[in-house]
Amino acid sequence: FRKDYLEGVKAVAAADNLGTPEAFVQVSCEHLVGGEIFDDFNISYYSGQARRRRYKVDAYTYDEYDNSVSLIIAEYSGEEEISTLTQTEAQTLFGRLRVVIEESISGRLRNEIEISTPAYDLVDLVYSKRNELRKIKFYIITDKEMSGRISSFSQDAISSIPCEYHLWDIVRFHRMLQTGDGHEPVEIDLTEFITEGLPCLPAHSVSSRHVTCYLSALPGVLLADIYDTYGSRLLEGNVRTFLSARGNVNKGIRRTILSDEKDLFFAYNNGIAATASEVETVLIGGQMYLQSIKNLQIVNGGQTTASLSNTRFRDKASLDSIYVQMKLTVVEDMTLANEIVPNISRYANSQNKVSEANFFSNHEFNIRMQQISRRLWAPAALGAQNETHWFYERARGQYENEQAKMTPSQKKAFAQMNPKSQLFDKTTLAKVDNSWRCNPHIASAGAQKSFKKWAETVVTEWEKNDTVFNEQYFKNLVVVLMMFRFLEKTIPKQTWYESGYRANIVVYTISYFNHLVSLQWPDRVLDRDGIWAKQELPEALRLRLLPFDVLIPQNRK
């Protein structure tokens, strides 16, 4: 697995003109986003020294829903033989990330880092959010194996903000990526919070061979504790994306918690709906208790959950007499879960005016794009002997899963027909389409925000006329994707490029190019059919996309 992983890193490095350590950061962070460890990430390679203390950061992300910031640092060896990351080395790496936070909160680093660098955005973010941050998360990503002597890292705080420490070694990446769906499951041992576990009632009459249901009254303290421990990973992914902008404390919930009527919270609140893939129960004195839950996802009630935690944190409120109703649906069959869980989420949220775009992963648009991508053959590129597919991943892991039971010769044939260089997913499609629609500000807002806005647009257009989303639409977007990847690969090689903001330069270039075409030739369109037929961008188009070295003298930028 490690050899394949590093070969993939080298391929990205070659394609994107990156050093292998930088490619390792990009590939690993993409896997963590796919596994919903965090929603998005921003590359911010930077290192230095502050008051004789060394610091370094490679990437970061900010979670608007639970007001947490995550900093990532890489320890990349690239050696053929696997080596061990010791506890001392891990503490040193975490220490370098801590310096970034400490110096950012104080404001000192804000005055030292060049404002044009991506790292400045991180420093400015931490400084501006210093009074709102609920949690600071530090991540080490490495192609080494964690020492067996490392058990855990002591939790502490910076400026009274709790800190978490996470180490993702090659073994942990293997464990996550080999689960089939690329997710690291949330496994909660309830006995760590309540001695016997959580009292519950099995809903025998509504359970079936597909699902098992349980009802329970969750103590507010327990729900807040679980949320504080696992954060927004508990919230069903699609819905979390759409709720993130409304992540502030719900005023009505907060008012009830702080009032004399807090004991009526159970009566006033609708409760939460949750799903899981597996639970452990035990009977004690005739009472059933839930003792552990695997893959817990709160599909409705995210506002309730976050508001309990936030009100306790901000207002120092007691949650002792507060209880929340929970309906827990357990779906053990993972194939069925992929169909049933999104529907549970959809119907549970139907009262809250959550649009169909929230559940876009299972929208008919995605199903149609997947079908087109599997049946539509792209003409053989110049010099190639076989036609290929542009493989659209509607759900993460489809590309790998389709090869899971193939023989080596079958895998080789599959790779020829479906080259990995022609693999793309819905967030990439959203960024590409937003760029071509001349919405670079949306495409630059991050993968999840870009996807949210695009999904809303596509759902609206689909409801008006779904026939426009046909093979021609697919071909046209693939051509823009070709332009997108050409720019990603070529921009770092330009003399004017000073590193950083490559993603923003790409989307603004494509948007501006399409804008100029519409201005200069209002009655014409780019010949995307001709580009599709050759599977290659014409030289004239390449020059128009990257004119700077031609038009600007080398000594000017």
Side-chain angles (χ1 to χ4, degrees):
F1 170 82
R2 182 175 180 274
K3 186 176 186 301
D4 288 343
Y5 195 93
L6 296 188
E7 285 301 317
V9 167
K10 291 173 185 175
V12 170
D16 294 350
N17 196 37
L18 299 172
T20 46
E22 290 85 355
F24 176 76
V25 172
Q26 182 172 309
V27 169
S28 299
C29 286
E30 285 172 354
H31 286 314
L32 292 175
V33 169
E36 296 189 359
I37 304 305
F38 36 74
D39 273 347
D40 205 354
F41 69 95
N42 303 280
I43 295 295
S44 59
Y45 306 120
Y46 207 86
S47 61
Q49 191 166 310
R51 296 187 297 162
R52 297 184 179 180
R53 298 189 300 166
R54 293 178 63 188
Y55 62 81
K56 182 175 183 284
V57 61
D58 292 313
Y60 73 93
T61 184
Y62 178 69
D63 190 328
E64 293 179 347
Y65 200 92
D66 60 11
N67 285 333
S68 67
V69 64
S70 301
L71 274 67
I72 300 105
I73 189 170
E75 176 62 19
Y76 175 75
S77 73
E79 298 169 357
E80 190 170 326
E81 293 297 322
I82 192 168
S83 54
T84 301
L85 184 76
T86 66
Q87 174 118 10
T88 302
E89 291 172 326
Q91 295 285 15
T92 299
L93 292 166
F94 281 134
R96 290 176 183 169
L97 291 176
R98 283 182 61 92
V99 174
V100 174
I101 290 293
E102 290 168 0
E103 296 296 310
S104 297
I105 288 176
S106 71
R108 286 186 291 268
L109 211 53
R110 208 160 167 252
N111 299 322
E112 294 177 15
I113 292 184
E114 170 58 45
I115 195 171
S116 64
T117 63
Y120 180 85
D121 293 343
L122 164 62
V123 172
D124 188 57
L125 171 72
V126 172
Y127 180 77
S128 62
K129 300 281 188 182
R130 63 192 184 282
N131 296 321
E132 301 172 34
L133 286 176
R134 287 286 316 276
K135 193 175 291 184
I136 301 165
K137 302 177 184 180
F138 298 117
Y139 289 85
I140 296 172
I141 54 176
T142 180
D143 64 331
K144 297 180 178 181
E145 183 175 3
M146 179 178 69
S147 168
R149 296 183 179 182
I150 299 177
S151 55
S152 62
F153 296 95
S154 300
Q155 306 299 301
D156 55 14
I158 297 175
S159 298
S160 301
I161 307 169
C163 297
E164 289 181 0
Y165 299 87
H166 303 273
L167 203 167
W168 280 81
D169 67 345
I170 197 67
V171 177
R172 191 171 182 184
F173 276 112
H174 173 261
R175 188 165 59 243
M176 179 180 76
L177 296 173
Q178 297 301 307
T179 58
D181 61 355
H183 290 73
E184 187 179 51
V186 174
E187 297 188 42
I188 300 175
D189 183 354
L190 292 170
T191 60
E192 292 181 359
F193 301 92
I194 304 175
T195 304
E196 294 179 335
L198 180 67
C200 69
L201 290 172
H204 292 302
S205 59
V206 297
S207 297
S208 71
R209 61 189 177 88
H210 299 308
V211 300
T212 307
C213 298
Y214 299 89
L215 300 175
S216 182
L218 273 170
V221 173
L222 173 62
L223 186 55
D225 285 346
I226 291 173
Y227 182 75
D228 287 347
T229 302
Y230 296 96
S232 62
R233 288 179 62 199
L234 289 176
L235 308 180
E236 201 273 328
N238 286 327
V239 176
R240 175 180 57 202
T241 301
F242 287 81
L243 292 178
S244 60
R246 298 184 277 121
N248 295 324
V249 178
N250 181 288
K251 292 179 181 178
I253 293 175
R254 177 177 177 271
R255 193 183 308 116
T256 302
I257 295 171
L258 298 176
S259 73
D260 295 333
E261 294 184 308
K262 62 188 298 184
D263 57 325
L264 293 174
F265 189 94
F266 186 89
Y268 291 162
N269 189 265
N270 287 333
I272 65 173
T275 63
S277 63
E278 188 179 325
V279 296
E280 287 185 11
T281 60
V282 64
L283 276 173
I284 302 176
Q287 171 65 57
M288 179 174 284
Y289 292 86
L290 285 167
Q291 293 200 319
S292 72
I293 304 177
K294 186 174 182 180
N295 275 326
L296 178 67
Q297 288 283 282
I298 296 172
V299 297
N300 180 250
Q303 284 287 337
T304 295
T305 305
S307 295
L308 284 170
S309 172
N310 288 333
T311 304
R312 181 173 68 173
F313 174 76
R314 293 179 183 176
D315 300 293
K316 310 303 177 188
S318 169
L319 306 179
D320 287 344
S321 59
I322 289 176
Y323 288 84
V324 179
Q325 172 188 308
M326 177 179 73
K327 180 186 74 172
L328 178 66
T329 305
V330 182
V331 189
E332 294 189 8
D333 187 312
M334 290 307 296
T335 303
L336 284 173
N338 290 332
E339 300 175 12
I340 294 174
V341 171
N343 283 334
I344 294 172
S345 180
R346 176 183 283 109
Y347 302 140
N349 283 285
S350 61
Q351 300 173 15
N352 300 330
K353 297 182 180 178
V354 180
S355 75
E356 280 297 301
N358 295 27
F359 311 99
F360 195 70
S361 296
N362 298 284
H363 193 274
E364 289 176 78
F365 168 89
N366 271 307
I367 296 170
R368 183 179 295 176
M369 290 302 107
Q370 176 182 308
Q371 292 170 343
I372 292 173
S373 81
R374 304 300 189 271
R375 70 168 183 260
L376 181 64
W377 290 97
L382 185 65
Q385 301 302 313
N386 59 290
E387 295 182 329
T388 58
H389 293 300
W390 284 82
F391 193 100
Y392 178 61
E393 266 196 340
R394 178 172 66 88
R396 181 172 175 79
Q398 284 183 320
Y399 187 84
E400 298 296 337
N401 289 342
E402 290 204 16
Q403 302 175 67
K405 296 182 180 179
M406 292 182 181
T407 64
S409 60
Q410 288 173 331
K411 286 184 178 180
K412 184 177 179 180
F414 179 86
Q416 284 183 333
M417 291 186 292
N418 305 275
K420 205 159 190 177
S421 60
Q422 294 178 193
L423 167 68
F424 64 106
D425 60 17
K426 59 183 182 290
T427 55
T428 301
L429 190 60
K431 191 173 291 188
V432 167
D433 203 11
N434 277 330
S435 301
W436 192 252
R437 289 171 183 262
C438 295
N439 292 318
H441 57 297
I442 295 174
S444 292
Q448 295 302 324
K449 289 181 181 178
S450 170
F451 170 71
K452 170 183 180 280
K453 289 288 187 182
W454 174 74
E456 290 171 347
T457 300
V458 169
V459 167
T460 301
E461 292 177 357
W462 179 278
E463 290 172 352
K464 290 179 180 177
N465 180 15
D466 68 281
T467 60
V468 299
F469 299 102
N470 49 27
E471 287 190 2
Q472 188 62 52
Y473 170 85
F474 185 88
K475 290 178 182 179
N476 287 344
L477 276 185
V478 165
V479 169
V480 182
L481 177 59
M482 291 165 63
M483 296 164 60
F484 201 90
R485 289 184 171 168
F486 161 74
L487 288 168
E488 283 186 322
K489 183 177 180 180
T490 313
I491 282 172
K493 301 176 183 178
Q494 304 306 300
T495 57
W496 49 263
Y497 184 68
E498 296 181 345
S499 80
Y501 303 108
R502 181 186 66 164
N504 309 91
I505 295 171
V506 169
V507 299
Y508 272 89
T509 298
I510 289 176
S511 292
Y512 191 46
F513 172 80
N514 193 26
H515 173 67
L516 290 176
V517 169
S518 63
L519 281 181
Q520 294 181 34
W521 295 282
D523 299 324
R524 300 187 183 188
V525 294
L526 181 69
D527 182 17
R528 286 188 276 181
D529 281 339
I531 298 172
W532 169 268
K534 293 184 178 180
Q535 290 293 294
E536 185 179 39
L537 300 182
E539 185 64 21
L541 176 57
R542 292 172 183 246
L543 288 173
R544 283 298 172 195
L545 289 171
L546 283 172
F548 300 105
D549 285 339
V550 177
L551 301 179
I552 301 176
Q554 295 297 314
N555 63 345
R556 291 178 57 198
K557 294 182 179 179

